[in-house]
Amino acid sequence: MANNGNESVALNGKGGRNGLAKIETHKKHSNGICHDDSGPTVKAQTIDELHFLQKKRSAPTTPIERTQTPFATLSEEQRYRQQLNSISASLASLTREKGPKVVKGDPDRKSETQRVVHDHHITPTIVVSDSALKFTHVLYNLSPAELYEQAIKYEKGSFITSSGALATLSGAKTGRSPSDKRVVKDDHTQNELWWGKGSPNIEMDEHSFMVNRERAVDYLNSLDKVFVNDQFLNWDPENRIKVRIVSARAYHSLFMHNMCIRPNTEELENFGTPDFTIYNAGQFPCNRYTHYMTSSTSIDINLGRREMVILGTQYAGEMKKGLFSVMHYLMPMRHILSLHSGCNVGKDGDVALFFGLSGTGKTTLSTDHNRYLIGDDEHCWSETGVSNIEGGCYAKCIDLSQEKEPDIFNAIRFGTVLENVVFDEHTRQVDYTDKSVTENTRAAYPIEYIPNAVLPCVGPHPKNVILLACDAFGVLPPVSKLNLAQTMYHFISGYTALVAGTEDGIKEPQATFSACFGAAFIMLHPTKYAAMLAEKMQKHGATGWLVNTGWSGGSYGYGSRIKLPYTRKIIDAIHSGSLLNANYKKTEIFGLEIPTEVEGVPSDILEPVNMWLDKKAYKETLLKLAGLFKKNFETFISYKIGKDSKLTEEILAAGPIF
């Protein structure tokens, strides 16, 4: 065999073992080294210095498709000093007036903390007080990877699942505690907010809030380290809100990292003082002897101080929905409508809003492969169009499957928080059907994990407003076209029905009404949001629709649920505009306009009475539901909308008549 001069190859067919060729390789480099992968010795003199070289500094960001402007001219030392002073002010105690000594970095990484303090000559805010002899270490805007490390090391019940998501536990509370939510009633809010019957706003006074605030702040200051997130709400740059979340758990920090809008490096450097601050001391209970307290849990909002305090619950959803309540107050003050809705946009720019309570299919129907997702839950409608309030999605996980909801299923990967799920101890595969911890299992992930999400999450004015109801009584049509007064009536009503198995003790369908499809979070009277919605729909030519995703041919237990493919066909017809050109007929009692034909949907199911074998039972059930609507709306009859009562009369006339 020929030798190429670089290798000496000897083939010994006779003497070689098993008749195989004997191969010898000898690189003939000038330096005599066979494989030269040598390089200069690293400059580091210690392991700590080597670790420092290993890590490159950056800041967490939300991907935004726009050109970035140059960074601020502040030095790193000045920026650190401003951040620490600002955080120290946020952690100020009522009795001490100033915050503790704070320093950035993990106390378990001593060399790193020392480097930060020594290299940048930071002098934290120092005050002689009961906490002056200790530092509160601030873990500031950590990345998901860093928060994984913190959670797995220090928080029992935190594990990496097979998909890469972080599974964690929220403790004894696995859902919100609406009866423990309080809002400070002062000279301003007593006239501005919705109080009394039907309102979610349970009052507390300023003093009781400050007692709880002091308790939360003292608890956070007693810890060796706290997590601080500085982030934004609202993708509309003209109306975004700066929020700061101070928490004790890595799980909470990662949750809010996903759910809020993540600043880019420049925005973080110029963040300044937040517009609203959350103190999450959920691991510590409130004092039940404090005035207005009815349990060891309290979620308190003070709109005057722009602060929120959480005690006695570790359920992360309290932070998300607490901020949503704040936006329901702040945005209308700017003449911007805040909405508890999903939102997507077609390729031609046609925006649709999806309203619906839990179980109606809001998340499923707003996540559409043929359309772009603006957001799944919280939005604003301003003079320029719609914008998502959040930077992530919070999806229910119970019975989740790749076949039914592939986008949500595939979004559960590294960086996603999985709350209270059950998984295989060995493989770490999640069993989404297991309700051992709670039925309210959840996934929180950044919105960019959805492949067809719009970034930035903004869109033009909506063309369609879709109200979703899961009617377990089986008497509402699969789709109805609404006039403006009917849209307001059903928007204020916010109807759906609970079925057996949803909550303990429910044996038959139970109507539930939630004003504006989110009564637990609104701050003003529902009619104010409804009037704003009507004004915007009229101004921009949007059409209202009522879509029933519930039962047909009988109530729950007798009829069958309307097939999801049929509902998708109906939604497609709304998006395309073809449903506007259909022939319509009016139903009795509710006076709803229903189409006689929808492509891909059996015509028989479009009129509910056709599917009931027992026509008498249908009429009785229809009247029963109409009565429930009427009774629920009694709360709003006395409230005048607009300059006169004309609009109020139109809305009342849009309800069931019998």
Side-chain angles (χ1 to χ4, degrees):
M1 185 173 182
N3 192 325
N4 61 10
N6 292 326
E7 294 182 340
S8 175
V9 183
L11 300 181
N12 188 350
K14 294 180 181 179
R17 190 178 301 172
N18 297 326
L20 296 178
K22 182 181 178 183
I23 302 177
E24 297 175 357
T25 58
H26 299 288
K27 297 277 186 180
K28 294 184 178 179
H29 294 290
S30 57
N31 59 6
I33 300 175
C34 181
H35 296 289
D36 187 7
D37 56 359
S38 61
T41 304
V42 294
K43 298 177 181 178
Q45 300 298 310
T46 66
I47 290 294
D48 287 338
E49 289 181 13
L50 185 59
H51 286 173
F52 173 69
L53 293 173
Q54 183 185 34
K55 293 172 288 188
K56 182 180 179 181
R57 288 192 176 182
S58 65
T61 61
T62 296
I64 298 177
E65 296 174 357
R66 61 178 174 84
T67 304
Q68 303 294 342
T69 53
F71 291 159
T73 55
L74 281 176
S75 69
E76 194 171 27
E77 179 181 346
Q78 289 173 315
R79 188 171 68 254
Y80 274 142
R81 190 184 300 276
Q82 285 186 3
Q83 285 176 345
L84 293 175
N85 286 340
S86 176
I87 293 168
S88 178
S90 293
L91 284 167
S93 162
L94 178 65
T95 55
R96 292 187 293 275
E97 295 185 353
K98 292 186 179 181
K101 297 183 291 183
V102 298
V103 61
K104 284 180 70 172
D106 188 345
D108 296 300
R109 296 176 179 173
K110 295 180 181 179
S111 59
E112 184 177 312
T113 302
Q114 290 168 357
R115 178 183 58 78
V116 172
V117 176
H118 176 72
D119 290 355
H120 301 292
H121 307 289
I122 296 174
T123 306
T125 303
I126 298 177
V127 57
V128 177
S129 71
D130 53 357
S131 63
L133 297 178
K134 70 177 287 294
F135 281 102
T136 296
H137 295 262
V138 176
L139 303 185
Y140 183 72
N141 273 45
L142 297 190
S143 68
E146 292 172 305
L147 291 169
Y148 266 55
E149 291 177 8
Q150 292 291 325
I152 291 166
K153 281 183 181 179
Y154 307 112
E155 295 180 12
K156 192 172 182 178
S158 294
F159 299 90
I160 301 177
T161 64
S162 60
S163 68
L166 180 72
T168 188
L169 296 172
S170 65
K173 297 290 180 74
T174 59
R176 290 183 301 104
S177 302
S179 61
D180 294 312
K181 178 186 170 186
R182 302 285 183 272
V183 182
V184 172
K185 190 174 186 178
D186 54 27
D187 292 341
H188 295 288
T189 58
Q190 68 176 346
N191 297 318
E192 293 174 340
L193 302 193
W194 177 28
W195 304 102
K197 184 180 179 181
S199 168
N201 301 316
I202 306 172
E203 68 176 87
M204 74 183 306
D205 60 26
E206 178 85 15
H207 176 77
S208 298
F209 174 85
M210 295 307 292
V211 169
N212 282 353
R213 183 193 186 279
E214 183 77 351
R215 192 170 176 93
V217 166
D218 280 347
Y219 170 74
L220 291 167
N221 287 342
S222 72
L223 303 175
D224 287 335
K225 58 188 175 186
V226 295
F227 299 88
V228 174
N229 293 44
D230 279 348
Q231 296 180 264
F232 299 121
L233 296 178
N234 197 354
W235 285 81
D236 176 3
E238 297 297 318
N239 294 290
R240 74 182 183 185
I241 302 298
K242 297 186 294 183
V243 294
R244 170 169 293 163
I245 302 98
V246 185
S247 57
R249 291 193 62 181
Y251 146 50
H252 291 152
S253 186
L254 180 57
F255 178 90
M256 295 308 285
H257 170 90
N258 290 346
M259 296 311 304
C260 294
I261 300 167
R262 296 157 289 285
N264 61 38
T265 308
E266 179 193 1
E267 290 167 337
L268 203 57
E269 289 178 350
N270 295 284
F271 193 83
T273 304
D275 300 310
F276 197 87
T277 303
I278 293 178
Y279 298 98
N280 190 341
Q283 290 168 292
F284 200 66
C286 71
N287 186 334
R288 289 177 294 168
Y289 290 97
T290 302
H291 192 35
Y292 296 100
M293 300 299 102
T294 54
S295 75
S296 59
T297 297
S298 192
I299 303 99
D300 309 325
I301 295 175
N302 189 326
L303 295 170
R305 289 184 60 92
R306 303 290 176 91
E307 292 180 336
M308 177 178 175
V309 171
I310 298 174
L311 290 164
T313 173
Q314 297 177 61
Y315 182 65
E318 296 288 7
M319 294 182 287
K320 166 190 161 64
K321 292 304 186 183
L323 288 176
F324 190 32
S325 295
V326 171
M327 294 296 279
H328 267 311
Y329 172 76
L330 295 178
M331 292 297 103
M333 296 298 166
R334 302 183 184 187
H335 306 290
I336 296 170
L337 177 59
S338 49
L339 301 164
H340 188 209
S341 70
C343 183
N344 65 26
V345 59
K347 296 175 183 177
D348 296 327
D350 57 300
V351 170
L353 293 174
F354 294 82
F355 294 89
L357 303 177
S358 180
T360 59
K362 181 182 66 171
T363 301
T364 300
L365 294 172
S366 60
T367 306
D368 188 330
H369 285 295
N370 299 314
R371 295 171 66 81
Y372 301 109
L373 181 68
I374 294 176
D376 76 326
D377 196 44
E378 303 175 9
H379 292 86
C380 288
W381 189 350
S382 69
E383 289 301 310
T384 58
V386 291
S387 57
N388 191 350
I389 289 175
E390 302 179 298
C393 302
Y394 194 35
K396 275 195 167 185
C397 290
I398 196 67
D399 295 325
L400 180 68
S401 70
Q402 191 166 22
E403 294 73 30
K404 291 180 181 178
E405 296 179 284
D407 285 347
I408 296 173
F409 188 90
N410 293 330
I412 298 176
R413 51 191 172 91
F414 181 82
T416 298
V417 176
L418 282 173
E419 287 181 318
N420 301 314
V421 297
V422 176
F423 52 86
D424 183 275
E425 184 178 14
H426 176 60
T427 65
R428 300 294 168 89
Q429 282 190 304
V430 178
D431 181 356
Y432 292 110
T433 65
D434 198 317
K435 307 173 186 178
S436 297
V437 179
T438 178
E439 187 170 324
N440 187 37
T441 52
R442 295 272 184 166
Y445 49 86
I447 194 166
E448 58 265 25
Y449 281 16
I450 299 295
N452 60 338
V454 176
L455 294 171
C457 302
V458 297
H461 296 288
K463 183 178 178 182
N464 293 294
V465 174
I466 302 169
L467 311 181
L468 301 170
C470 178
D471 177 30
F473 292 92
V475 295
L476 289 183
V479 59
S480 313
K481 184 174 67 172
L482 306 175
N483 59 35
L484 203 57
Q486 286 175 322
T487 303
M488 293 181 73
Y489 180 88
H490 286 279
F491 177 70
I492 292 172
S493 297
Y495 163 71
T496 195
L498 300 175
V499 296
T502 305
E503 291 184 8
D504 291 340
I506 296 177
K507 305 299 181 185
E508 59 181 25
Q510 181 175 306
T512 181
F513 298 90
S514 183
C516 307
F517 292 93
F521 321 120
I522 60 178
M523 298 293 249
L524 312 179
H525 195 276
T527 54
K528 293 189 176 182
Y529 300 102
M532 289 182 72
L533 177 63
E535 180 187 358
K536 290 185 178 295
M537 287 180 67
Q538 195 168 34
K539 182 177 180 179
H540 301 290
T543 305
W545 306 89
L546 179 63
V547 174
N548 174 22
T549 62
W551 270 254
S552 176
S555 299
Y556 172 82
Y558 298 95
S560 57
R561 188 154 190 182
I562 298 169
K563 294 180 180 178
L564 181 59
Y566 293 162
T567 302
R568 287 199 183 277
K569 286 291 184 182
I570 289 169
I571 299 296
D572 289 343
I574 291 173
H575 291 323
S576 69
S578 64
L579 210 51
L580 284 173
N581 303 319
N583 294 320
Y584 284 85
K585 60 188 297 186
K586 185 172 285 190
T587 67
E588 58 178 341
I589 309 298
F590 279 89
L592 298 169
E593 296 282 342
I594 60 174
T596 57
E597 189 177 352
V598 178
E599 185 180 351
V601 181
S603 296
D604 286 348
I605 76 167
L606 296 175
E607 191 169 0
V609 67
N610 293 339
M611 304 301 293
W612 282 65
L613 296 176
D614 188 339
K615 308 301 181 186
K616 182 182 177 183
Y618 164 78
K619 187 66 176 285
E620 290 173 350
T621 308
L622 180 63
L623 287 169
K624 179 181 179 181
L625 182 61
L628 293 170
F629 264 86
K630 211 160 190 175
K631 183 180 180 182
N632 171 72
F633 215 82
E634 288 174 358
T635 307
F636 313 112
I637 290 176
S638 60
Y639 202 88
K640 187 177 74 172
I641 304 175
K643 296 179 180 178
D644 52 43
S645 60
K646 183 180 178 183
L647 188 55
T648 306
E649 292 169 0
E650 289 180 2
I651 295 171
L652 289 173
I657 299 173
F658 59 101

